[in-house]
């Protein structure tokens, strides 16, 4: 009987050690996930964050401050509310990579600056459709499409 009690006590001690190791591993894993993907994110002044819920599809907009965003449940995207500048570098010289053309077919170098900003009132509706690189994928093609057509109507003298 004493041998049986010793075996039961040893088994229970091993079981307690296993449970403690599993608990410590789970706690370490949870701490690593919280450290690597923090659930509280901050939104600096001059930016707006849009939080999309993966479960419900609900969209919420946050201005400067903190927000709760669990990595698996929410996707957070930040957008600048300040005016931004787009300047096409390739069309600044007539012999550059992408010069404009006049009605005569001559190359024109035009130094162009476009200021733009994202409308905060429409950001919730447009956030799903906006790409990560707004300037490269939205502003640049829109400006190029308008400017090439506009400048192609004029002569070099005009």
């Amino acid at each position: 009987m004493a041998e049986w009690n010793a075996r039961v006590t040893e088994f229970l001690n091993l079981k307690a050690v296993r449970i403690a190791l599993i608990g410590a591993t789970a706690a370490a894993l949870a701490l690593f996930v919280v450290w690597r993907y923090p659930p509280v994110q901050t939104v600096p002044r001059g930016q707006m964050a849009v939080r999309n819920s993966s479960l419900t599809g609900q969209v919420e907009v946050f201005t400067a401050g903190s927000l709760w965003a669990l990595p698996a449940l929410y996707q957070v995207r930040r957008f600048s509310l300040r005016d931004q500048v787009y300047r096409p570098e390739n069309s600044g010289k007539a012999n550059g990579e992408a010069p404009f053309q006049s009605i005569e077919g001559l190359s024109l170098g035009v130094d162009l600056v476009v200021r733009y900003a994202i409308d905060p009132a429409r950001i919730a509706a447009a956030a799903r459709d906006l790409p990560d690189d707004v300037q490269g994928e939205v502003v640049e093609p829109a400006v190029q499409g308008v400017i090439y057509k506009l400048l192609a109507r004029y002569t070099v003298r005009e």
Side-chain angles (χ1 to χ4, degrees):
M1 189 66 148
E3 184 180 319
W4 174 256
N5 286 339
R7 285 186 180 173
V8 169
T9 306
E10 182 181 336
F11 175 76
L12 289 176
N13 286 340
L14 287 177
K15 189 175 180 182
V17 168
R18 287 183 193 142
I19 290 173
L21 283 175
I22 290 171
T25 304
L29 181 64
L31 285 173
F32 173 75
V33 168
V34 167
W35 172 73
R36 182 74 173 105
Y37 305 103
V40 176
Q41 297 185 15
T42 59
V43 181
R45 289 183 304 162
Q47 286 189 359
M48 181 174 277
V50 177
R51 181 176 75 177
N52 293 332
S53 173
S54 300
L55 296 177
T56 63
Q58 181 181 8
V59 177
E60 296 174 290
V61 178
F62 296 89
T63 54
S66 298
L67 66 111
W68 181 260
L70 293 174
L73 297 177
Y74 297 107
Q75 177 190 17
V76 177
R77 295 181 63 199
R78 290 180 178 83
F79 298 99
S80 177
L81 295 177
R82 296 187 172 123
D83 286 351
Q84 298 184 34
V85 175
Y86 167 67
R87 172 179 256 144
E89 301 291 329
N90 298 336
S91 58
K93 295 181 180 179
N95 58 358
E97 296 176 25
F100 298 109
Q101 287 189 339
S102 68
I103 198 165
E104 300 109 359
L106 297 173
S107 295
L108 297 172
V110 178
D111 188 22
L112 181 68
V113 176
V114 177
R115 276 182 47 188
Y116 71 95
I118 295 176
D119 185 8
R122 297 183 52 206
I123 193 71
R128 290 184 184 171
D129 300 329
L130 286 175
D132 289 334
D133 181 19
V134 174
Q135 180 170 328
E137 295 182 33
V138 176
V139 176
E140 182 177 349
V143 169
Q144 295 296 335
V146 170
I147 294 301
Y148 276 109
K149 290 178 186 176
L150 180 72
L151 292 178
R153 291 189 223 161
Y154 295 99
T155 63
V156 176
R157 288 184 185 175
E158 294 174 331

